[in-house]
């Protein structure tokens, strides 16, 4: 069963430092071609650790389901 | 997750800065931190250096997250805005260029070697005990003092923003990070076109 929440990174703001990758307990985040962090929605459990460590504040935790876009954190 | 050898590079960072207190010539080792990320970005198209190898980033995480030396507050928006990131990169490159020019002047004999480091591009601190005159050509020593100044200044700036904001806030405007991400974006754009 998938978690209720998932993290999502803003490509435009991300500085691709990779601190989120290191704290993710599910290895759900990758830095794509050195440009931005990408969260694998299927692996993400929405714990929010990445959002807490991101120095650019570009990760938000959203609710799954209809629209997928409702921000909760 | 099992730790890899590169998870301990924060120790290298401490060793590097400590060596500069004993023999300034070790400052040249810092060139690895300059050239390796660039090579990885240009030839590999990635930020693997920032993501895994950066000892400085690891040190900020260790102190900021694990040892709780960071307030862990949000970084101000302007600090990770594009104009500030690229502006700081330009400023940093200009200062680097000036340092190289000073080295050239010493090499050409137009200026004498100054056994001092300059912190925050302003404060000159005598650092003569770390160098015995005549050990290497003057320009080699001058570059060491200049380069170490740059490295120490940026480390201290990083500590300040680590304390005030997130552990790795420095990474948002780190000139190397901005430069390598810029290169990666250019490369990725090119790949798309092809």
């Amino acid at each position: 069963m998938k978690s209720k929440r998932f993290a999502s990174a803003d490509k435009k703001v991300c500085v691709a430092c990779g601190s989120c990758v290191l704290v993710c307990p599910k290895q759900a985040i990758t830095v794509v071609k050195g440009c931005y962090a990408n969260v694998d929605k299927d692996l993400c459990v929405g714990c929010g650790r990445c959002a807490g460590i991101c120095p650019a504040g570009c990760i938000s935790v959203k609710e799954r389901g209809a629209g997928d876009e409702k921000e909760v954190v | 997750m099992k730790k890899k050898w590169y998870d301990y590079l924060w120790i290298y960072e401490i060793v590097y800065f400590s060596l500069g207190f004993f023999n300034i010539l070790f400052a040249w080792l810092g060139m690895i931190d300059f050239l390796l990320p660039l090579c990885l970005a240009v030839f590999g198209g990635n930020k693997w250096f920032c993501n895994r190898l950066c000892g400085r980033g690891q040190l900020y995480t260790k102190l900021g997250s694990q040892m709780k030396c960071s307030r862990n507050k949000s970084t101000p928006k302007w600090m990770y805005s594009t104009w500030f990131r690229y502006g700081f990169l330009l400023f940093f490159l200009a200062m680097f260029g000036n340092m190289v020019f000073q080295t050239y002047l010493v090499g050409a004999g137009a200026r004498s070697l100054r056994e001092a480091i300059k912190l925050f591009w302003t404060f000159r601190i005598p650092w003569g005990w770390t160098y015995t005159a005549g050990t290497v050509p003057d320009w080699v020593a001058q570059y060491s003092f200049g380069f170490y100044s740059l490295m120490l200044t940026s480390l201290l700036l990083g500590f300040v923003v680590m304390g005030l904001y997130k552990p790795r806030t420095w990474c948002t405007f780190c000139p190397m990070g901005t430069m390598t991400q810029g290169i990666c974006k250019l490369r990725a754009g090119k790949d798309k076109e092809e």
Side-chain angles (χ1 to χ4, degrees):
Chain A
M1 202 181 85
K2 279 183 189 169
S3 61
K4 281 184 183 166
R5 295 169 177 186
F6 72 98
S8 164
D10 185 341
K11 281 183 194 180
K12 283 183 190 151
V13 182
C14 179
V15 297
C17 66
S19 37
C20 50
V21 177
L22 299 177
V23 292
C24 179
K26 290 286 177 187
Q27 283 94 56
I29 314 179
T30 42
V31 175
V32 182
K33 291 181 176 177
C35 298
Y36 55 85
N38 183 53
V39 186
D40 185 333
K41 251 167 85 172
D42 295 329
L43 290 177
C44 180
V45 290
C47 67
R49 282 198 209 178
C50 50
I53 198 82
C54 176
C58 76
I59 304 180
S60 47
V61 179
K62 295 172 177 175
E63 208 139 331
R64 278 188 213 272
D68 268 356
E69 293 305 317
K70 200 178 151 203
E71 244 176 67
V72 284
V73 179
Chain B
M1 214 166 42
K2 206 176 162 247
K3 289 223 177 193
K4 301 254 173 49
W5 63 270
Y6 48 72
D7 289 321
Y8 297 94
L9 284 170
W10 57 275
I11 300 173
Y12 163 75
E13 202 67 15
I14 296 173
V15 170
Y16 173 77
F17 283 101
S18 308
L19 285 173
F21 279 79
F22 297 99
N23 191 329
I24 198 67
L25 297 177
F26 283 113
W28 278 85
L29 279 178
M31 288 301 285
I32 302 171
D33 294 338
F34 253 59
L35 298 175
L36 193 58
L38 284 178
C39 287
L40 288 174
V42 172
F43 301 113
N46 61 58
K47 289 232 317 170
W48 215 70
F49 186 90
C50 296
N51 302 162
R52 300 283 173 173
L53 302 178
C54 180
R56 179 180 296 214
Q58 289 175 14
L59 189 62
Y60 292 146
T61 308
K62 272 249 167 305
L63 292 175
S65 292
Q66 293 173 20
M67 297 174 79
K68 305 203 185 305
C69 296
S70 171
R71 292 196 312 157
N72 221 23
K73 301 272 181 204
S74 301
T75 308
K77 261 191 179 146
W78 61 267
M79 216 176 255
Y80 53 84
S81 62
T82 309
W83 69 266
F84 180 72
R85 293 182 67 204
Y86 281 92
F88 189 73
L89 170 64
L90 276 179
F91 170 74
F92 209 82
L93 286 179
M95 291 299 139
F96 183 75
N98 179 45
M99 192 265 287
V100 172
F101 183 62
Q102 297 300 322
T103 307
Y104 163 74
L105 288 180
V106 171
R111 238 201 61 182
S112 56
L113 169 66
R114 281 188 213 174
E115 295 181 2
I117 63 164
K118 219 174 190 185
L119 282 185
F120 302 102
W121 303 282
T122 317
F123 309 106
R124 195 178 290 280
I125 300 166
W127 210 256
W129 75 88
T130 60
Y131 179 65
T132 313
T135 317
V136 287
D138 276 359
W139 70 269
V140 176
Q142 183 62 59
Y143 188 82
S144 304
F145 284 111
F147 197 71
Y148 192 73
S149 307
L150 213 83
M151 294 293 274
L152 196 57
T153 296
S154 51
L155 179 84
L156 294 176
L157 271 180
F159 276 140
V160 172
V161 289
M162 173 198 81
L164 290 174
Y165 310 113
K166 299 272 177 182
R168 283 183 70 161
T169 290
W170 163 255
C171 301
T172 61
F173 60 98
C174 166
M176 290 314 298
T178 309
M179 202 156 31
T180 48
Q181 191 188 23
I183 294 169
C184 288
K185 279 186 174 171
L186 282 176
R187 269 190 62 126
K190 226 186 212 175
D191 287 351
K192 235 182 219 173
E193 276 172 29
E194 282 164 11

